[in-house]
Amino acid sequence: MERPLADRIRPKEIKDIIGQEHILGEGKILNRIISSGFTPNMIFYGPSGVGKTTLAYIIAEMTNKRFHKLNATTDSTKDIKEVINEINTFMGYKGILLYIDEIHHFPKRTQQILLEFMENGQITLIGSTTENPYFYVFKAILSRATVIEFKPLENRDILLGLERAIDILRGEYTHKTIDFEREALEIISNGSQGDLRRAINVLELMIKTSSKNEVTINKELASQLTQNNFTYDRDGDKHYDIISAFQKSIRGSDPDAALLYLAMLVKAGDLSTIIRRLLVIAAEDIGLAYPQGIAIVKACTDAALQLGFPEAQIPLAEAVILLATAPKSNSAVMGIGSALDALNNYNIGDIPIHLRDGHYKGAKDLGRMEGYKYPHDYPHHYVKQQYMPNSLSNKKFYIPGNNKYEDSIEKYWLEIKNKSK
């Protein structure tokens, strides 16, 4: 059975690894670890197809350790115990490097089995995960391991990998002439979303499925094979990263970036997340700088719910552009946050007696509402009286934002309150 091309061209030395300069460059963390000859327990965290497994193979080779690879989606506790049984045998006398792909899929109990052997150095663990290890990997494992984050490869790295793959394929398929259009490789690179393995698999498919002896990797075929390559997991890191970037872009008044992240959520069909986030943003980030914003956003999101995709994307885009270009104020979220903080940190005491409910028999005997002044009986519907509990009588929770609407409201009330003195 022929191994996949991505496996056949896997680098054998560190110098042949593509990308990851932030960890493999001179003086960077993984470069220092490899150069030292000391291999700690590590968690490789990052997307698929960026070199995590390859580096684990190379590290095992350089340290002369017995290499075992398990996959947490298909292997079990029994497989881990079989590796452990090798510790005191001839095969494992130089030490064992255990690589567990997608380690976050192992339940906590299975991960715990490794702790004793990691602690005494009989097993060096390298776990890899596409999910944030601080959420998904057992804390005791994390405390004994160094987390190394891998990044998606850049287009120039993918292009380099594709050119290397073509050179290897030319050597393997000597009966074929393999040529390529540079634009086609760029299309494959863009469609791979930073995953070199995915790009190489597309390339291999194009060549293997061609019945001609003269194969040209052209942009038309490349476009067909790289459509719909955007990946999205509603329960994974990428989901939370996208909605975080979505809100931050609107808060930062960048409609173009906001539309890009909206497009990601639209392509994923995640209507409920979009609607919830837009309503939150309208209140949290735009707030009183443009009070009508939340009403308009509610109308747009209601329209989106009625329309459904694909038409829903139009009112959603309208809401995003409106919020991104609107003036900003976080006075509401800061105000309620400050009030909640007061509840946690102060003895609030009683509500002033003149504000308490007096609409029941006997309330008057208890002094309820005594001395209350009805604002509508006074000029401008305002009269000065105490509303705060005594312990917080001088406390301010609402600080007006620096925007046209809140400035005008602040000036209005300063004038009214000055007149009532």
Side-chain angles (χ1 to χ4, degrees), residues 305-316:
L305 279 171
Q306 283 192 300
L307 290 168
F309 285 128
E311 289 87 351
Q313 67 193 30
I314 303 168
L316 293 175

Side-chain angles (χ1 to χ4, degrees), residues 350-399:
D350 285 336
I351 293 171
I353 197 164
H354 61 281
L355 298 182
R356 296 191 211 176
D357 181 25
H359 299 89
Y360 58 90
K361 189 176 181 180
K364 190 173 182 180
D365 296 336
L366 295 173
R368 302 296 191 264
M369 288 183 65
E370 187 176 329
Y372 173 65
K373 298 173 183 176
Y374 188 55
H376 298 298
D377 289 340
Y378 295 85
H380 309 291
H381 304 270
Y382 173 79
V383 61
K384 185 175 181 179
Q385 63 185 325
Q386 182 177 331
Y387 293 97
M388 278 284 201
N390 288 333
S391 62
L392 297 176
S393 59
N394 296 314
K395 189 75 174 170
K396 298 270 300 176
F397 296 130
Y398 169 59
I399 308 298

Side-chain angles (χ1 to χ4, degrees), residues 127-181:
S128 80
T129 174
T130 53
E131 301 293 344
N132 192 324
Y134 295 101
F135 297 150
Y136 294 97
V137 177
F138 181 39
K139 297 295 183 289
I141 294 278
L142 280 181
S143 70
R144 293 164 173 82
T146 300
V147 176
I148 309 287
E149 184 174 5
F150 288 64
K151 294 181 179 179
L153 296 178
E154 296 184 11
N155 276 10
R156 66 173 184 271
D157 300 321
I158 302 287
L159 288 169
L160 177 59
L162 288 171
E163 289 170 2
R164 284 188 190 175
I166 290 170
D167 286 340
I168 289 171
L169 287 168
R170 282 169 173 162
E172 292 179 348
Y173 293 89
T174 54
H175 60 289
K176 289 188 176 185
T177 301
I178 301 173
D179 203 356
F180 64 88
E181 296 173 1

Side-chain angles (χ1 to χ4, degrees), residues 335-351:
I336 187 60
S338 182
L340 288 167
D341 185 62
L343 291 181
N344 292 328
N345 295 290
Y346 292 90
N347 177 9
I348 302 301
D350 285 336
I351 293 171

Side-chain angles (χ1 to χ4, degrees), residues 41-43 68 70 72 76-77 79-85 87 96-101 103 106-127 137-138 140-141 144:
N41 300 299
M42 292 182 279
I43 301 294
H68 283 277
L70 300 179
S76 64
T77 302
D79 299 290
I80 290 180
K81 288 180 176 177
E82 286 178 4
V83 174
I84 290 169
N85 288 337
I87 287 174
I96 292 173
L97 192 151
L98 174 59
Y99 179 72
I100 302 178
D101 199 11
I103 191 172
F106 268 150
K108 179 178 176 180
R109 191 170 181 179
T110 304
Q111 293 183 41
Q112 282 178 312
I113 294 172
L114 297 165
L115 293 176
E116 176 190 344
F117 304 97
M118 292 171 62
E119 195 86 1
N120 61 27
Q122 290 177 293
I123 285 180
T124 299
L125 172 72
I126 298 181
V137 177
F138 181 39
I141 294 278
R144 293 164 173 82

Side-chain angles (χ1 to χ4, degrees), residues 155-392:
N155 276 10
R156 66 173 184 271
D157 300 321
I158 302 287
L159 288 169
L160 177 59
L162 288 171
E163 289 170 2
R164 284 188 190 175
I166 290 170
D167 286 340
I168 289 171
L169 287 168
R170 282 169 173 162
E172 292 179 348
Y173 293 89
T174 54
H175 60 289
K176 289 188 176 185
T177 301
I178 301 173
D179 203 356
F180 64 88
E181 296 173 1
R182 183 73 181 180
E183 191 175 348
L185 297 192
E186 288 173 353
I187 291 170
I188 297 171
S189 174
N190 279 313
S192 70
Q193 302 290 321
D195 182 337
L196 179 56
R197 182 168 54 236
R198 179 190 292 180
I200 289 173
N201 287 343
V202 169
L203 183 70
E204 185 175 29
L205 178 64
M206 294 173 75
I207 292 170
K208 278 192 169 183
T209 55
S210 174
S211 59
K212 299 177 180 178
N213 287 330
E214 294 184 359
V215 182
T216 299
I217 299 159
N218 58 59
K219 61 184 181 182
E220 289 77 21
L221 186 54
S223 296
Q224 289 177 36
L225 294 176
T226 55
Q227 287 180 356
N228 300 317
N229 272 335
F230 175 70
T231 56
Y232 183 83
D233 179 359
R234 292 194 189 198
D235 297 318
D237 269 0
K238 193 163 187 177
H239 166 79
Y240 297 103
D241 288 343
I242 290 171
I243 60 178
S244 175
F246 181 51
Q247 179 159 2
K248 288 182 173 73
S249 298
I250 294 176
R251 181 185 296 150
S253 304
D254 188 332
D256 301 301
L259 285 170
L260 173 66
Y261 297 120
L262 172 66
M264 292 181 181
L265 294 166
V266 166
K267 192 156 187 179
D270 198 351
L271 183 57
S272 60
T273 292
I274 299 169
I275 290 173
R276 183 179 184 277
R277 189 55 44 184
L278 286 173
L279 290 169
V280 168
I281 293 166
E284 180 180 346
D285 296 306
I286 283 73
L288 291 168
Y290 184 46
Q292 303 96 319
I294 194 166
I296 298 171
V297 169
K298 181 66 168 65
C300 288
T301 54
D302 284 351
L305 279 171
Q306 283 192 300
L307 290 168
F309 285 128
E311 289 87 351
Q313 67 193 30
I314 303 168
L316 293 175
E318 181 181 342
V320 165
I321 295 168
L322 174 84
L323 295 178
T325 55
K328 308 295 187 293
S329 172
N330 69 342
S331 60
V333 70
M334 295 300 289
I336 187 60
S338 182
L340 288 167
D341 185 62
L343 291 181
N344 292 328
N345 295 290
Y346 292 90
N347 177 9
I348 302 301
D350 285 336
I351 293 171
I353 197 164
H354 61 281
L355 298 182
R356 296 191 211 176
D357 181 25
H359 299 89
Y360 58 90
K361 189 176 181 180
K364 190 173 182 180
D365 296 336
L366 295 173
R368 302 296 191 264
M369 288 183 65
E370 187 176 329
Y372 173 65
K373 298 173 183 176
Y374 188 55
H376 298 298
D377 289 340
Y378 295 85
H380 309 291
H381 304 270
Y382 173 79
V383 61
K384 185 175 181 179
Q385 63 185 325
Q386 182 177 331
Y387 293 97
M388 278 284 201
N390 288 333
S391 62
L392 297 176

